[in-house]
Amino acid sequence: MTHLLPRLNRRQQFVAGTAVSAGILGVVILAGFLMSSDGLVTNLAARHLSPSWQYPFGTDWLGRDMLARTIKGLNLSLGVGLLAASLSGLIALVLGLAAGTLGKGVDTVVTWLVDLALGMPHLVVIILIAFAMGGGAKGVITGVMLTHWPSLTRVIRAEVLQLRSAEYVQISRRLGKSNWWVATRHILPHILPQLFVGTLLLFPHAILHEAAVTFLGFGLSPHQPAIGIILSESMSYLSTGMWWLAFFPGLMLLVVVRMVDILGDNLRQLMDPHSAHQ
Amino acid sequence: MNKNLLLFILGKLLRMTGLLICLSIIIFWLMSKSPIDPIQAYVGADMMLVGPEQRQQIMEYWGLNEPPVERFKHWLLAVSRGDLGTSMIYRQPVLQVIKERFTASLALMGMAWLLSGVFGFALGVLAGVKQGTRLDGMIKWYCLTLASTPGFWLGLLMLVVFAVWLGWFPVGLGVPAGVLQENVSWLDRLYHLILPAITLSITGVANVALHTRQKLIDVLNSDYVLFAKARGESNWTIFWRHGLRNVALPAITLQFASFGELFGGSVLAEQVFSYPGLGQATVQAGLRGDLPLLLAIALFSAIFIFTGNFIADLIYRVIDPRIREGELL
């Protein structure tokens, strides 16, 4: 396979990887917006069809086009994941900054909170929160948001602690600048790229957890074309051999998650001065 | 030194107790917020047949008419006596349910844990030794792709391929259907265990493999390996003499520290394969509003994770000679 392609150097590989993953994500999102909802409507004449040119992903037991359902579901997942990951990043920013700048007491509390949040399996916590909020999109988003911040908080806290001891920050303090000045002018600009990349790397986890919780029945409502719903519904039809109901939606989810991951990883390398010039 | 170790263990246990108390308060608060009516969840479809008096009686029976703080006090008192309450959906003491279910889950998780540990380590070592080759690239790609794979989807695929198409394995459940409990042999159980365990282990491979690969590359770039090469040792002897010990310890620790993902994965795997373990009980308890069971399982999962981390810490202290001799203390 590789000898057919011209050999790319690392920079070219990097650009190609980024372009391909951004392209695929773009197509999925664009398709989600442009696609009409016709495929989601029940069409009893076209039930249980295996994949064909007209229905590349096949149809389900109500004759709905699986391609349309998958694309709509992916967009829903991307939206929920994006919202949850961003909120999680926000929590990480606030707690990380607070732990790093507000003194020992706050630091202890935040470290303890991180331990607390890591003390239970993510999935069980999300189930509990979704249960407490009575399910639905709000429950999933809150659940994912409240479980994914600890690792990023640790990173940001460490970064802030390191910056605080930097000489120019010490000098700035001696010059009488306030805590607020130091936090917004010296520390925040260094943290923002970290935060951005960190959030992007949280994003795949958020999507996967959303799909998993929805699959278990705690997440998005069955009326929405979420990937988790599609997969859990497919379970009753798998033993009759309708493999396409599960195969394509899951595969597309895998592709989308991997693309987001590649994008995040490439951005991280780009922002890291050690590897940016390789 | 022994005193140090004892202090370390005591400190950890104290921390655990504090964490558990806080977690139970938070979980209790979450549950009292839930809009899901436990009585309706308990009665189910017969809700129309239950009059207000009966409803009152059920509430009193479960102690649901008291304010949450009172209920929490009662619960805490009962727990200190070793009574975790009665599960609403299984009509058994919660402790009993957890014991039975966890035994089933333990078999599943243990098998998956061992498999993923061994395969992950082997793949990581292979990739590390062959760093930069096509094999390394393939293993890396494989692991990164696995990390983005929804585990339950993988389970569905396994189910379609091995149970439906090939018919090698049963479609689900922990024991054969229609057979009395005492007639189920351990072979039957093992047979039903294989597919979920493999599914669970496949996703667990990625983490260990990538970590081991990175560690091994670090070790192979060290001065002492350079010296060994200069002495003319072969790749294999270098790995055997210098690599293995340095790489095995982090891998084992990582494997113990991954109990959380293991538990989460088993919830999904058990749901896909309708395997009657603790994960399935978690989902049932959540969907049907079985508060005592859900609370107990949540706390149990916290203890489970803590145990994993605790063993990982302990292994580092006991096995690593540098820490054991107090160098890095």
Side-chain angles (χ1 to χ4, degrees):
Chain A
M1 178 73 193
T2 36
H3 59 270
L4 292 176
L5 299 166
R7 247 192 122 61
L8 301 173
N9 64 30
R10 284 187 65 177
R11 181 182 297 275
Q12 286 164 328
Q13 273 181 10
F14 181 89
V15 172
T18 313
V20 168
S21 25
I24 292 181
L25 281 180
V27 167
V28 168
I29 294 171
L30 208 65
F33 276 115
L34 295 181
M35 191 173 265
S36 67
S37 297
D38 295 349
L40 301 178
V41 179
T42 310
N43 175 11
L44 293 176
R47 291 163 62 202
H48 303 305
L49 292 181
S50 51
S52 63
W53 282 114
Q54 196 188 353
Y55 300 108
F57 286 10
T59 62
D60 64 6
W61 60 98
L62 291 173
R64 289 175 292 189
D65 183 5
M66 288 308 287
L67 177 64
R69 290 190 81 199
T70 304
I71 296 288
K72 291 275 179 203
L74 284 177
N75 274 281
L76 199 62
S77 287
L78 281 171
V80 169
L82 185 64
L83 190 59
S86 317
L87 291 172
S88 225
L90 202 65
I91 297 180
L93 175 68
V94 172
L95 288 182
L97 271 181
T101 52
L102 294 182
K104 198 115 184 78
V106 180
D107 190 27
T108 314
V109 172
V110 169
T111 320
W112 188 79
L113 276 178
V114 169
D115 282 352
L116 191 72
L118 290 177
M120 269 167 63
H122 280 175
L123 201 63
V124 174
V125 181
I126 302 177
I127 287 178
L128 282 174
I129 292 174
F131 173 78
M133 300 188 64
K138 217 171 79 186
V140 186
I141 293 172
T142 316
V144 175
M145 166 185 106
L146 289 178
T147 44
H148 284 66
W149 54 270
S151 50
L152 189 54
T153 303
R154 276 188 177 163
V155 172
I156 290 181
R157 171 178 169 272
E159 189 81 0
V160 173
L161 285 178
Q162 205 187 350
L163 280 170
R164 251 166 53 99
S165 58
E167 276 176 7
Y168 67 93
V169 175
Q170 306 266 354
I171 293 171
S172 187
R173 275 190 195 282
R174 294 284 161 78
L175 287 175
K177 299 297 186 195
S178 66
N179 269 343
W180 176 250
W181 171 279
V182 170
T184 52
R185 304 293 164 97
H186 296 318
I187 294 181
L188 205 57
H190 278 280
I191 298 295
L192 280 181
Q194 291 258 8
L195 176 74
F196 184 64
V197 173
T199 308
L200 202 56
L201 287 173
L202 283 183
F203 191 18
H205 292 266
I207 299 176
L208 284 181
H209 269 119
E210 178 271 314
V213 173
T214 305
F215 173 76
L216 291 176
F218 294 95
L220 305 176
S221 88
H223 312 296
Q224 283 162 314
I227 298 289
I229 298 285
I230 294 177
L231 288 180
S232 81
E233 281 175 351
S234 79
M235 276 183 68
S236 355
Y237 295 87
L238 287 183
S239 51
T240 59
M242 294 168 69
W243 55 273
W244 59 90
L245 289 183
F247 179 72
F248 292 113
L251 186 69
M252 287 303 289
L253 182 65
L254 164 61
V255 169
V256 164
V257 169
R258 189 76 184 91
M259 293 305 129
V260 175
D261 204 33
I262 290 177
L263 271 186
D265 209 41
N266 282 356
L267 264 180
R268 185 180 56 75
Q269 284 182 26
L270 204 60
M271 283 182 177
D272 182 1
H274 293 297
S275 60
H277 297 292
Q278 280 182 2
Chain B
M1 186 55 223
N2 264 336
K3 205 177 141 205
N4 263 344
L5 195 66
L6 205 67
L7 274 179
F8 168 77
I9 294 176
L10 266 178
K12 281 275 172 189
L13 287 181
L14 214 65
R15 211 180 155 75
M16 171 76 205
T17 321
L19 220 60
L20 273 185
I21 293 177
C22 289
L23 275 179
S24 53
I25 293 175
I26 294 172
I27 299 169
F28 226 89
W29 174 75
L30 276 176
M31 288 183 169
S32 66
K33 286 268 166 213
S34 175
I36 295 171
D37 181 3
I39 295 171
Q40 184 160 3
Y42 169 64
V43 178
D46 296 334
M47 200 59 200
M48 300 300 287
L49 304 174
V50 177
E53 298 97 57
Q54 260 179 310
R55 197 189 153 85
Q56 198 59 39
Q57 275 175 348
I58 299 175
M59 274 181 93
E60 260 164 46
Y61 182 74
W62 294 112
L64 289 170
N65 46 357
E66 295 169 55
V69 180
E70 281 301 307
R71 264 189 284 156
F72 183 66
K73 267 191 218 154
H74 284 302
W75 180 81
L76 209 58
L77 267 177
V79 168
S80 60
R81 288 195 310 267
D83 173 20
L84 282 164
T86 310
S87 159
M88 291 176 176
I89 49 177
Y90 296 105
R91 314 263 175 135
Q92 270 177 331
V94 166
L95 220 51
Q96 181 81 18
V97 177
I98 289 189
K99 210 178 100 197
E100 274 171 24
R101 293 286 173 145
F102 184 62
T103 323
S105 284
L106 199 63
L108 172 67
M109 288 194 278
M111 198 163 150
W113 187 78
L114 272 179
L115 280 178
S116 65
V118 171
F119 278 112
F121 187 69
L123 278 180
V125 166
L126 208 59
V129 170
K130 302 269 175 198
Q131 185 204 346
T133 62
R134 179 142 328 154
L135 183 70
D136 175 35
M138 266 162 59
I139 292 179
K140 233 171 76 181
W141 183 86
Y142 172 73
C143 288
L144 288 173
T145 306
L146 271 187
S148 313
T149 308
F152 55 100
W153 174 66
L154 207 64
L156 290 177
L157 289 191
M158 302 280 273
L159 205 62
V160 169
V161 174
F162 293 105
V164 178
W165 286 355
L166 296 174
W168 289 355
F169 292 101
V171 176
L173 301 176
V175 292
V179 179
L180 284 178
Q181 187 72 32
E182 52 266 29
N183 295 338
V184 180
S185 69
W186 65 271
L187 258 174
D188 282 328
R189 291 180 194 277
L190 189 68
Y191 183 52
H192 282 255
L193 190 67
I194 291 175
L195 215 46
I198 290 179
T199 307
L200 192 51
S201 65
I202 287 181
T203 41
V205 161
N207 210 1
V208 189
L210 288 175
H211 196 79
T212 304
R213 174 184 175 272
Q214 194 53 48
K215 273 276 173 218
L216 191 58
I217 289 175
D218 290 349
V219 169
L220 292 181
N221 285 332
S222 66
D223 287 343
Y224 56 86
V225 168
L226 190 67
F227 181 55
K229 272 185 197 156
R231 280 201 311 265
E233 288 184 31
S234 69
N235 271 347
W236 177 245
T237 10
I238 287 179
F239 169 70
W240 187 249
R241 289 190 188 156
H242 308 289
L244 181 63
R245 282 204 228 175
N246 280 312
V247 179
L249 192 59
I252 294 173
T253 327
L254 189 72
Q255 204 49 4
F256 272 107
S258 71
F259 273 20
E261 282 126 68
L262 190 67
F263 195 94
S266 82
V267 172
L268 290 164
E270 285 175 16
Q271 188 71 8
V272 170
F273 293 97
S274 6
Y275 185 85
L278 200 57
Q280 201 194 31
T282 316
V283 176
Q284 287 302 320
L287 287 179
R288 294 167 63 183
D290 189 345
L291 297 184
L293 186 60
L294 194 57
L295 179 59
I297 292 180
L299 290 180
F300 184 80
S301 71
I303 297 178
F304 184 65
I305 289 189
F306 173 83
T307 313
N309 289 333
F310 184 62
I311 295 176
D313 281 348
L314 221 54
I315 286 181
Y316 248 120
R317 288 187 162 245
V318 174
I319 294 185
D320 193 330
R322 285 166 304 184
I323 301 186
R324 193 175 55 212
E325 304 296 334
E327 235 179 77
L328 295 177
L329 282 178

